[in-house]
Amino acid sequence: IARVELHRDSVQLSFLSGAWLKKQLKQKLVDIPYQETQGMLLLTGTTEDIQSFLYFHADDGTFSDETQLFRQEEQK
C-alpha cells in the first residue's frame, strides 16, 4: 500500500510501514482485521475499513518509506 503525491516534475511514493503497523497492532492501538504468517501481515478487512483506517492514520507515521521519481528531460 502506498500514498502517491503527484507534482509537476515528480511523483512521490510513500509506502505503508510494516514496522509501524506491527507496533500498533502489538500495543492494541489500532483495530483492523489482519492475519500474520511467516512474519508478514495481511490486512483482511473490507476495502472500506482499510481505506478508513489509512485515512485516519495517514499522518501518524503510517507512511514512512518514501521514494521520489523525477521526470527526465527529453533528449534531442
Side-chain angles (χ1 to χ4, degrees):
I1 297 175
R3 176 173 53 193
V4 178
E5 294 180 34
L6 301 174
H7 304 281
R8 179 177 164 92
D9 293 325
S10 65
V11 174
Q12 183 171 327
L13 303 169
S14 303
F15 295 93
L16 178 64
S17 171
W20 178 89
L21 184 57
K22 284 182 182 182
K23 180 180 175 186
Q24 298 298 310
L25 290 168
K26 185 175 182 178
Q27 295 178 356
K28 300 190 186 313
L29 297 174
V30 297
D31 183 26
I32 187 82
Y34 72 98
Q35 292 290 318
E36 184 171 2
T37 181
Q38 299 178 356
M40 307 238 349
L41 295 174
L42 174 66
L43 300 178
T44 59
T46 65
T47 299
E48 293 80 13
D49 289 344
I50 294 171
Q51 285 176 339
S52 293
F53 166 77
L54 294 172
Y55 288 135
F56 185 79
H57 293 284
D59 295 322
D60 293 357
T62 309
F63 296 95
S64 61
D65 303 324
E66 296 181 356
T67 299
Q68 193 159 10
L69 306 172
F70 295 93
R71 180 184 309 208
Q72 292 185 345
E73 301 253 345
E74 187 177 327
Q75 295 181 3
K76 295 182 181 187

